[in-house]
Each structure stands twice: as structure tokens, then as C-alpha cells.
Amino acid sequence: MTIPRNVQEELEKRDELILALELLVVDQACRLLATEAVLRELVPPRRKPAAAKIEAHIEEAAERFRQRFEGESVAGFTDRAKRIAADLVGS
């Protein structure tokens, strides 16, 4: 069965939109996890958040993702969240 060209073009546009939305969701999830980890270190107030504790929280929280996704993709996710957290605390 041959798919008409205009339908095929629309499917390709849809695929690109879905990919863009997935990337946006992953980016926002990384930022949210990083922010959560930093905020947990700020309560009770401290002079400077402990980077090791922030990274440990990100690793711990990422376990729930590892149960659902493949390990390599989650490794990139946690690395990105750690970089964002480091940027947030300025280290």
C-alpha cells in the first residue's frame, strides 16, 4: 500500500514535533530534578549547598527513572541534571 506524498509529509512533520516535545520534556525534567536537589540542600539554610549531597539526591531520585527506562538514557539524564544543579549553585 502506497502512502500519498502529502500524507507522508504530514507524518514526517508530526514525527519532528513529537521528537521536539520529547526533548523539551526531558530538558524540563532535568531542570526540575536539579532545582529540587538544590532546594533540599538549602533547607535548613546553609551558607553554600553541598555539591556531593545534591548529586547524591539526583542519583537517588533517578532510580525511579531507571526502573522504567534503559540505563544509558538515564545516565545522560542524571549527568545533565547534575550539570544544571552545579550551574544553579555556581560551582
Side-chain angles (χ1 to χ4, degrees):
M1 178 170 144
T2 305
I3 299 175
R5 183 160 184 79
N6 63 339
V7 172
Q8 188 173 8
E9 288 172 358
E10 287 301 315
L11 289 173
E12 289 173 4
K13 286 180 192 176
R14 184 208 61 188
D15 289 348
E16 289 175 13
L17 181 60
I18 289 171
L19 178 60
L21 289 171
E22 287 175 346
L23 292 172
L24 181 61
V25 167
V26 168
D27 180 63
Q28 292 303 308
C30 287
R31 291 178 186 282
L32 181 60
L33 181 56
T35 303
E36 174 188 318
V38 170
L39 289 175
R40 286 175 56 97
E41 272 301 294
L42 292 175
V43 178
R46 300 174 194 209
R47 291 183 185 257
K48 185 170 181 176
K53 287 186 177 183
I54 291 171
E55 289 186 9
H57 176 74
I58 291 171
E59 285 292 333
E60 180 183 311
E63 279 303 314
R64 65 182 180 244
F65 298 110
R66 283 191 182 93
Q67 294 172 2
R68 302 217 190 280
F69 302 107
E70 296 177 17
E72 289 181 28
S73 62
V74 174
F77 177 85
T78 55
D79 291 343
R80 182 180 177 95
K82 288 176 184 177
R83 283 193 307 273
I84 292 169
D87 288 344
L88 288 173
V89 297
S91 59

